[in-house]
Amino acid sequence: MKILVWNGSPRPQGNTAAMVEAFAKGAREAGHQVDVFQVAQMKIAGCRACEYCHTKGNGRCIQQDDMQQIYPLLEEAEMLVLASPVYYHGFTAQLQCAIHRIYALDKPKNLKKAAMFLSSGSDNVYGGALYEYQNSFLDYLHLQDLGVKTVFGKEQKTPAILDEFYQFGRSLPCD
């Protein structure tokens, strides 16, 4: 399976990055192709709502930024993993920009599955991200939910938690 992971954390060595690395290692060992994008370190602007993509652009965004590196893999991906620390009950702004830019493709043709990883300093702050994931991804894009994994506080980056992410990647069936 072709898996695309978007890490929305601005911290390259942070808790979210550790979760993503553990998951990707397990998924690769299980035989999956995994592409990870550190979207918070990329230059990705928000959607302009110009409708170029749905008129003259034929599914291509007019903006020439780092999202152009992601679009071809997004069209091929069978699974998308959104990974983010929770900032004010939602995804980071950097991840949000990438999510909004899916609009150019409308519904990526091969995308069938999704998962979400969230980290936070405290528990019970995931509501905004969960709402968007369930409505914008699972419902609108008609995706199978492979799970939401949340970690908070001192449990982050512990061997037991990282092993859970690794095992999740290893457990994905090769289609």
Side-chain angles (χ1 to χ4, degrees), residues 14-74:
N15 296 317
T16 305
M19 295 184 311
V20 166
E21 288 171 23
F23 167 79
K25 181 180 180 188
R28 287 181 182 124
E29 287 180 10
H32 301 286
Q33 176 185 324
V34 181
D35 292 293
V36 177
F37 283 93
Q38 309 299 332
V39 297
Q41 277 76 52
M42 301 174 78
K43 292 184 192 271
I44 300 174
C47 177
R48 294 181 182 169
C50 67
E51 289 297 328
Y52 176 85
C53 57
H54 296 144
T55 57
K56 300 175 198 162
N58 201 24
R60 290 183 323 272
C61 182
I62 196 168
Q63 297 186 78
Q64 296 301 305
D65 59 10
D66 290 344
M67 195 67 189
Q68 299 306 320
Q69 298 170 35
I70 296 175
Y71 280 134
L73 294 174
L74 182 56

Side-chain angles (χ1 to χ4, degrees), residues 85-128:
V86 173
Y87 291 172
Y88 208 70
H89 304 275
F91 298 124
T92 60
Q94 297 93 332
L95 179 58
Q96 197 66 58
C97 284
I99 290 169
H100 287 176
R101 295 283 295 283
I102 294 175
Y103 180 70
L105 302 177
D106 188 33
K107 296 179 181 175
K109 60 185 173 186
N110 294 315
L111 199 57
K112 304 286 185 256
K113 301 173 183 179
M116 183 171 67
F117 305 159
L118 300 173
S119 65
S120 178
S122 59
D123 199 9
N124 300 317
V125 296
Y126 308 111

